[in-house]
Each structure stands twice: as C-alpha cells, then as structure tokens.
C-alpha cells in the first residue's frame, strides 16, 4: 500500500482539497515493490548539503520536476545557499533533469501550491521574518518565476506550510516561530490569501497558540478529526497540535494536548 498526500482540484481560480490521503494498493496478491523493481540509481548534482526536496509538475508538461534547497554556504565558490529547480527532460525509459538555480538566499523551508488559481504551481520560501513569493510564469516547457517578498513580522524562525485554513478556496500561509528568542513558547501565524488570478498577495499574520519547546523541526497541516478543516501540527521537542475551528474569512484554533516530551 502506498499513501500519497491529499489531492487538490482548481476551478474558477479556487482550489478544493481532499480531506484524506490518496492510497494506492497492489492488486491480485502482488507483494508490491521488490529490490529488483528498480534500476541502478542516477545522480544529479546539487549545491552543497541539500536538505529540502519537493517533487511537482512546475511547467504543466505532465512530468514531475524537482525543487531542492541547500543550507550550506561554500565561500568563495558560491556553491551554497541555493534553491534549484530540476526540470524534467526525460522520456520513457530515460530519467534526466536540467538544473536551474533560483536567485534566493538561505532559506529555512519552502512549500509549493497554486496560490492564485491560475493553474500553475507557485513557490513560497521563508527565512527569518521574510517570505519569498515566486509566482510561476512558466510557459512552453520553460520554467520561470517572478519573485516578490513580504514581511511576515519580526522574530520569526520560519517553517512554512500552505493550506486552505478557512475553506474559502484559497491556500493560506502558515508560519511557525513568532517570537522566537523572546519567549520559551513561540507562536504560529496564519496569513490569509487575498490573491487574484493576476497578482499574489496575503494579509498580515494572525497569531495563535504556543509551540512547545524552542526548536522547530517541521510543521504541517492535516485534517486530524475528519471535520474537513486542516489542523496545525508542529514537531519539536514534543508534538503540538491545534484543532482548526475557522470559518470562511475568520481564523480560529483550539489548543490540543501536547503529545510526547522527548528531546
């Protein structure tokens, strides 16, 4: 059995998300994947120390591309702190990619989604109090982005997730770490999507709750209780969850018991 992330469908510049994961099963008693199911690996060079990876079809040609971010600065070579797109140029039976480095500084995290409902997947990257918005302007098999940035607020140690928090059909930005360094339990913020098909924009962050512990290894949004709303989950020295009780145009979360307590 193979479990894939929830699926989305975009129509009339609005996006709907499935509330459960998409599951593939093997039929006719097949044992599934075996060691002989894969050919010899193929390597593609990245900048030094790649640590974040996503696979999406960025140019709508029907083949998945890769986005890779690195967190190592290799002076004076300049071979560090890069976000690279690997455009899929393969064909049946042949895996191949073309690397394109994007003009971004060091980032803490990134996520990918169609932010303005134009049918193209956009890239959002975050570091500190800055969020970089890369609007997908790809066409004709060429991958390109129009870059912009917005201030998420001071003292943010950003981990980012993209999810339609209030169910209005537009994916919102969720950032962790508000107040990092100022309090033992930094907060998380939600930036409401106010984009149009022509432009991408977000409102100022609305802050919620407290994440347990100082560190922020990752955050995600998922419907934990089956009410069709994505809930907030952060992984750090313990797992903090917040139940989403938002309505269209109004964000609200309800604190849940902390899970675990390891270091």
């Amino acid at each position: 059995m193979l479990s894939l992330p929830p699926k989305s469908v975009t129509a009339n510049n609005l996006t709907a998300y499935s509330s459960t994961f998409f599951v593939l099963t093997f039929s006719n008693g097949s044992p599934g994947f075996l060691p002989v199911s894969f050919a010899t690996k193929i390597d593609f060079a990245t900048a030094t120390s790649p640590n974040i990876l996503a696979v999406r079809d960025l140019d709508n040609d029907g083949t998945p591309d890769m986005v890779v971010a690195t967190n190592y600065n290799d002076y004076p070579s300049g071979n560090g702190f890069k976000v690279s797109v690997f455009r899929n140029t393969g064909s049946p039976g042949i895996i191949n990619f073309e690397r394109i480095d994007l003009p971004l500084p060091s980032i803490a995290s990134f996520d990918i989604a169609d932010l303005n409902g134009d049918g193209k997947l956009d890239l959002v990257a975050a570091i500190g109090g800055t969020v970089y918005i890369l609007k997908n302007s790809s066409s004709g098999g060429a991958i390109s982005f129009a870059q912009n940035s917005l201030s998420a607020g001071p003292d943010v140690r950003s981990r980012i997730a993209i999810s339609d928090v209030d169910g209005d059909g537009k994916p919102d930005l969720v950032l962790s770490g508000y107040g990092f360094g100022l309090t033992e339990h930094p907060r998380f913020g939600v930036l409401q999507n106010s984009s149009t098909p022509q432009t991408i924009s977000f409102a100022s962050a609305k802050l919620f709750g407290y994440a347990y512990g100082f560190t922020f290894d990752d955050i995600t949004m998922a419907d934990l209780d089956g009410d069709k709303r994505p809930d907030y989950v952060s992984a750090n020295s313990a797992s903090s969850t917040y139940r989403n009780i938002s309505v269209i145009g109004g964000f609200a979360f309800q604190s849940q018991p902390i899970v675990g307590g390891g270091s």
Side-chain angles (χ1 to χ4, degrees):
M1 184 175 70
L2 177 64
S3 180
L4 300 175
K7 298 303 178 183
S8 64
V9 176
T10 300
N12 298 322
N13 305 119
L14 298 176
T15 304
Y17 298 84
S18 63
S19 59
T20 58
F21 283 75
F22 182 64
V23 178
L24 297 177
T25 58
F26 295 96
S27 60
N28 301 322
S30 169
F33 293 119
L34 300 172
V36 295
S37 300
F38 295 91
T40 303
K41 72 182 181 75
I42 304 172
D43 294 329
F44 296 92
T46 69
T48 306
S49 299
N51 68 326
I52 314 176
L53 168 69
V55 179
R56 302 286 194 278
D57 182 4
L58 297 176
D59 55 358
N60 289 337
D61 66 352
T63 59
D65 310 294
M66 298 189 296
V67 182
V68 179
T70 65
N71 67 350
Y72 178 78
N73 199 4
D74 184 14
Y75 290 111
S77 71
N79 190 35
F81 284 167
K82 290 187 184 300
V83 178
S84 302
V85 171
F86 288 77
R87 179 177 173 265
N88 192 333
T89 58
S91 58
I94 299 175
I95 295 177
N96 195 45
F97 289 91
E98 171 195 9
R99 174 177 159 182
I100 306 164
D101 291 333
L102 302 180
L104 286 172
S106 169
I107 64 169
S109 64
F110 71 80
D111 205 352
I112 299 172
D114 182 1
L115 299 177
N116 60 335
D118 65 354
K120 298 179 180 181
L121 293 174
D122 309 296
L123 176 65
V124 182
I127 182 67
T130 302
V131 176
Y132 296 93
I133 308 291
L134 282 78
K135 183 178 182 291
N136 192 335
S137 54
S138 303
S139 64
I143 293 179
S144 60
F145 293 91
Q147 182 175 323
N148 198 357
S149 63
L150 60 89
S151 174
D155 303 302
V156 184
R157 185 175 181 181
S158 301
R159 293 294 186 271
I160 191 168
I162 301 176
S163 184
D164 183 5
V165 175
D166 62 347
D168 66 353
K170 296 183 177 183
D172 308 298
L173 302 185
V174 183
L175 293 170
S176 70
Y178 280 83
F180 180 82
L182 302 180
T183 174
E184 182 180 354
H185 304 296
R187 311 177 78 179
F188 68 94
V190 182
L191 287 69
Q192 186 171 29
N193 191 335
S194 55
S195 302
T196 68
Q198 292 73 36
T199 61
I200 295 177
S201 60
F202 290 87
S204 299
K206 184 174 182 180
L207 303 185
F208 297 95
Y210 293 90
Y212 183 82
F214 281 105
T215 60
F216 295 89
D217 294 328
D218 205 0
I219 65 171
T220 192
M221 301 291 293
D223 183 4
L224 301 179
D225 58 353
D227 66 354
K228 313 300 183 185
R229 298 183 181 98
D231 306 299
Y232 173 88
V233 182
S234 67
N236 31 66
S237 53
S239 179
S240 302
T241 63
Y242 283 82
R243 180 171 176 260
N244 186 354
I245 55 173
S246 303
V247 297
I248 292 178
F251 297 136
F253 287 86
Q254 188 177 68
S255 178
Q256 300 297 299
I258 294 170
V259 178
S263 57

